[in-house]
Amino acid sequence: MKLLATMLLITGITVAGQTPALAVKAAPDIPVASVQAHLAEFQRIATANGGNRAHGRPGYQASLNYVKSKLDAAGYQTRIQQFTSSGATGYNLIADWPGGDANNVIMAGGHLDSVSRGPGINDNGSGSAGLLEVALTVARQNVKPQKHLRFGWWGAEELGLVGSTFYVNSLSSAQRGLIKGYVNFDMTGSPNPGYFVYSASGQPTGSKAIEDLLEAGFAGKSVQTELTSVGGRSDHAAFARAGIPVGGTFSGAEVRKTAAQAQKWGGQSGVAFDRCYHQACDTTSNINATSLDRHTDVIAYALYSLIGA
Ligand code: DPN
Ligand code: CA
Ligand code: ZN
């Protein structure tokens, strides 16, 4: 009885009397307050460092230190990768969760830099904070995945996908071949939000399996989605060019919400999904908490499924 209770605890399955065949962990519901706490820290960092977290500026370095220290304390193997862009040193943060099949790697990532005009809390504090909280949840639950899980926080995306491209170029073709999927999260808390999934057909190696999985994650929360063709506008493009299957979610940027979209998702039609896109007003006030919560839960859902948690 004691052994059975322990087993049920470990597997997270609570149905009494049923012995699970596999130790499958249900995808966690990430508390949005935990994600918002990371955003508050990014905002504090920007405010203390000239109002931004941009490549080559002290606010970027402070953001990197914040994310890295959280991951280190949680048991991740972290690594900072340096590169040079526009005469300044840039940094990627790579974090590996120990364990899983090293020949089957699943990656999730987003860019950590802001533009120099503002603090970049939606673009892309939102994706960065969501990825961080999902990573910390994996650690807290001591997930033992089948596949190997790796996260990336990219530098200098706003200068043209510089950090993610540098990372992909640093891999041998054999190493690239081990990465079975890359999921990108860039802008997830837009104030007039949409629930977009990257269209697999909009990428050289867009993954229909990842597209379906992300759609299923939203459907499980009764949120309708639309496919969007994000092309080369974020870091997934660096992975797609290297032949790695990619996907992602997005809550919208400068494009205006249509009447049909406002009908479906609420919010204001004829207004940009993010009116503060690349502006000084991209602060913690520029975040829709419901969007941040839903997109982050879908990040967790997709990753737990992809790694075989
Ligand atoms: N990465 C942002 C940018 O290029 O400014 C915003 C963005 C993300 C746009 C995802 C499209 C898709
Ligand atoms: Ca949640
Ligand atoms: Zn941007």
Side-chain angles (χ1 to χ4, degrees), residues 29-32 221 293-294 297:
D29 180 353
I30 307 292
V32 71
K221 305 179 81 66
D293 190 22
R294 288 169 167 176
D297 287 344

Side-chain angles (χ1 to χ4, degrees), residues 138-161:
V138 166
R140 259 181 235 122
Q141 296 191 333
N142 197 20
V143 172
K144 307 275 184 219
Q146 288 162 5
K147 295 186 179 156
H148 181 75
L149 174 60
R150 181 180 300 150
F151 290 92
W153 283 264
W154 312 118
E157 187 268 356
E158 299 292 2
L159 280 66
L161 319 182

Side-chain angles (χ1 to χ4, degrees), residues 111 115 123-124 157-158 161 184-187 198 228-236 249-254 277-278:
H111 73 91
V115 292
D123 182 15
N124 180 33
E157 187 268 356
E158 299 292 2
L161 319 182
N184 195 64
F185 300 97
D186 185 357
M187 303 182 72
Y198 295 6
T228 184
S229 202
V230 292
R233 284 192 67 186
S234 192
D235 297 295
H236 63 281
T249 78
F250 177 47
S251 58
E254 77 285 356
Y277 174 63
H278 285 188

Side-chain angles (χ1 to χ4, degrees), residues 12-284:
I13 292 170
T14 52
V15 182
Q18 286 189 15
T19 308
L22 257 178
V24 178
K25 276 207 160 61
D29 180 353
I30 307 292
V32 71
S34 306
V35 186
Q36 289 170 309
H38 302 314
L39 291 182
E41 186 61 20
F42 289 145
Q43 179 68 64
R44 192 199 62 73
I45 286 168
T47 303
N49 289 283
N52 68 65
R53 304 181 302 104
H55 169 70
R57 310 288 185 89
Y60 184 76
Q61 190 86 48
S63 300
L64 189 80
N65 292 345
Y66 173 72
V67 176
K68 182 177 185 296
S69 67
K70 292 275 180 196
L71 294 166
D72 286 338
Y76 277 82
Q77 284 169 1
T78 63
R79 168 167 90 86
I80 288 173
Q81 185 180 49
Q82 284 195 24
F83 57 89
T84 303
S85 182
S86 304
T89 305
Y91 307 90
N92 292 325
L93 175 62
I94 322 292
D96 284 272
W97 178 240
D101 179 2
N103 292 322
N104 278 288
V105 180
I106 296 295
M107 285 195 73
H111 73 91
L112 186 58
D113 64 315
S114 72
V115 292
S116 54
R117 280 180 78 179
I121 299 303
N122 188 33
D123 182 15
N124 180 33
S126 60
S128 294
L131 288 160
L132 174 58
E133 194 52 34
V134 171
L136 297 177
T137 303
V138 166
R140 259 181 235 122
Q141 296 191 333
N142 197 20
V143 172
K144 307 275 184 219
Q146 288 162 5
K147 295 186 179 156
H148 181 75
L149 174 60
R150 181 180 300 150
F151 290 92
W153 283 264
W154 312 118
E157 187 268 356
E158 299 292 2
L159 280 66
L161 319 182
V162 177
S164 52
T165 302
F166 186 88
Y167 171 75
V168 169
N169 288 344
S170 76
L171 303 174
S172 66
S173 59
Q175 287 170 324
R176 286 177 205 170
L178 303 180
I179 305 174
K180 305 305 178 191
Y182 171 80
V183 196
N184 195 64
F185 300 97
D186 185 357
M187 303 182 72
T188 60
S190 302
N192 185 30
Y195 297 89
F196 296 104
V197 169
Y198 295 6
S199 162
S201 60
Q203 305 296 325
T205 57
S207 163
K208 181 78 171 102
I210 295 175
E211 178 194 294
D212 289 347
L213 188 61
L214 293 166
E215 284 183 331
F218 282 112
K221 305 179 81 66
S222 304
V223 177
Q224 292 180 264
T225 55
E226 283 185 16
L227 293 177
T228 184
S229 202
V230 292
R233 284 192 67 186
S234 192
D235 297 295
H236 63 281
F239 289 80
R241 284 174 199 139
I244 296 165
V246 300
T249 78
F250 177 47
S251 58
E254 77 285 356
V255 169
R256 291 175 189 200
K257 188 179 274 187
T258 65
Q261 289 169 331
Q263 192 73 39
K264 173 172 7 187
W265 292 322
Q268 293 176 274
S269 79
V271 174
F273 292 102
D274 183 355
R275 261 193 291 195
C276 289
Y277 174 63
H278 285 188
Q279 308 296 317
C281 58
D282 185 10
T283 65
T284 44

